[in-house]
Amino acid sequence: MISTFDLFKIGIGPSSSHTVGPMVAARRFRDTVLARGGVARISAEIYGSLAWTGRGHGTDVAILLGLLGHAPATIDPDRTAPLADELRRTGDLGIPGVHFDTERDLVFNFKDILPLHTNGMRFRAYDAAGDAVEDQIFYSVGGGFVVTAAEAEAASAGEAGQEPPLAFGSGRELLDLTLRTGLTIPQIQLANELTLRSRADIDAGLDAVRDAMFACIERGLRMDGELPGGLRVRRRAKRLYESLEATKLANSRPAHEIMDWISLYALAVNEENASGGRVVTAPTNGAAGIVPAVLRYTRDFCPDWNDERGRDFLLTAAAIGGLIKARASISGAEVGCQGEVGSAAAMAAAGLTAALGGSAFQIENAAEIAMEHHLGMTCDPIAGLVQVPCIERNAFGANKAVVAASLSLRGDGQHRVSLDEVIETMRQTGHDMQAKYKETSLGGLAVNVAAC
């Protein structure tokens, strides 16, 4: 089972797979080293997509922070740079007997790719004689999920954990469950979550995710200036917000203004993500603006909002996101941006449809529409930064999600292409996509637009 709280994780930008995942992996390795003792040196080597776009995505800083013992959900984003700079200066990890030389011990391997995933990391620990005493490989597989080589191989072999009471492995199975049990999609997801935590903890966790999403939007609306990284991309959310607020009392306002509000919310989140701020992985950081934007639209512009509708939104989105992750991928390094923005749009469309009272078949239809119209989208960030085209893609993805929900709610849920078919198409398309279009910055806009 992929839990709602695995898909929605509070962390920092700019990337779930390149920032959040490596920080988690480095912290796990630190815990191993502390438990065994007798270590004199630690090294970290990153491969594939992590190496190619790692500096733009803050992978080096994330690994340093993880080795210092910090976690994405709790670290203060304003402290990340000072903490990394201090480690570079002193080499002090807070591990007895270990001096970390960032020039020597943090290696970007641009040549090799580890066998199970392009986002690979290898951590080694050595004793005083220089012999390796620990050697661990981790893979950051998208959305902040991290697995060791052994865990990845076990997953490939089909080794399963505890079966939830209402397990579903496809959209068809999910719809059949609703018919057999009479439960809604969010109720089914909730029933499965109850095997992991109490109802009170689930409600509190969902509310915390919602509040973190809305707080990220609010901070993004206040901030101004250029985003870090050298592309000189200016933040737009604050100016757009001020412009929309200024026209609120106008006698004549275009009907499509609602699209500007949806775009605004998504821009605000992804500008925060690009600057390393606190965001919610939903299901990735590169696509972190879509679900919050549509959730905020639901609260601000749709009738009968309450906390329960917000929880139903997130539970439904998680049910769809879990299917996509299990049957295809949410990783841009695996399948391109269709797996990130496309997945987020499908999740948001499903959540909105549920919050507006749609049936299970309408929810499945909304998710299918949203995903179908992101098929083939490449991941080609300029200079390896999650800015161009990533930020605007979230605005478009959020608006597509609303359109998909609207189309499904105007229908009866019957449609020609199923969610399962479109997820499988996304998987195959990602498999066939050339590697240079999958989060490497070796193709697409990344090579056809000057980075300076």
Side-chain angles (χ1 to χ4, degrees), residues 324-349:
I324 296 170
K325 177 171 171 52
R327 297 179 66 84
S329 175
I330 58 171
S331 169
E334 282 188 319
V335 294
C337 198
Q338 59 174 354
E340 297 202 28
V341 167
S343 297
M347 293 165 64

Side-chain angles (χ1 to χ4, degrees), residues 41 123 155-156 161 300 329 383 401:
R41 179 189 163 210
F123 295 89
S156 297
D300 290 357
S329 175

Side-chain angles (χ1 to χ4, degrees), residues 146-302:
V146 172
V147 294
T148 64
E151 291 166 347
E153 288 166 354
S156 297
E159 297 178 19
Q162 179 184 357
E163 188 83 350
L166 297 174
F168 55 91
S170 67
R172 182 67 259 172
E173 290 178 8
L174 179 57
L175 291 175
D176 288 344
L177 268 178
T178 66
L179 294 174
R180 190 171 75 247
T181 65
L183 298 175
T184 65
I185 288 177
Q187 287 170 341
I188 289 170
Q189 183 72 12
L190 175 62
N192 291 334
E193 294 290 345
L194 286 168
T195 64
L196 304 174
R197 49 185 63 85
S198 70
R199 177 63 188 269
D201 286 344
I202 293 170
D203 287 349
L206 292 170
D207 292 347
V209 166
R210 175 204 64 207
D211 291 345
M213 287 179 171
F214 289 168
C216 183
I217 290 174
E218 291 299 330
R219 190 172 192 273
L221 298 182
R222 297 193 304 270
M223 303 301 288
D224 206 351
E226 288 185 359
L227 296 172
L231 284 183
R232 307 209 66 182
V233 174
R234 288 191 57 82
R235 288 180 180 254
R236 285 179 287 176
K238 184 174 185 289
R239 285 174 290 151
L240 177 56
Y241 176 61
E242 291 170 348
S243 173
L244 288 169
E245 283 289 303
T247 61
K248 266 189 172 180
L249 299 179
N251 289 329
S252 177
R253 293 156 61 192
H256 67 258
E257 184 182 283
I258 190 65
M259 298 171 63
D260 292 333
W261 285 99
I262 296 166
S263 297
L264 167 66
Y265 300 146
L267 292 174
V269 171
N270 283 84
E271 287 174 356
E272 279 297 287
N273 179 62
S275 65
R278 188 168 305 288
V279 299
V280 177
T281 300
T284 67
N285 281 31
I290 295 169
V291 170
V294 179
L295 184 62
R296 176 69 176 260
Y297 161 77
T298 311
R299 189 197 78 175
D300 290 357
F301 293 96
C302 297

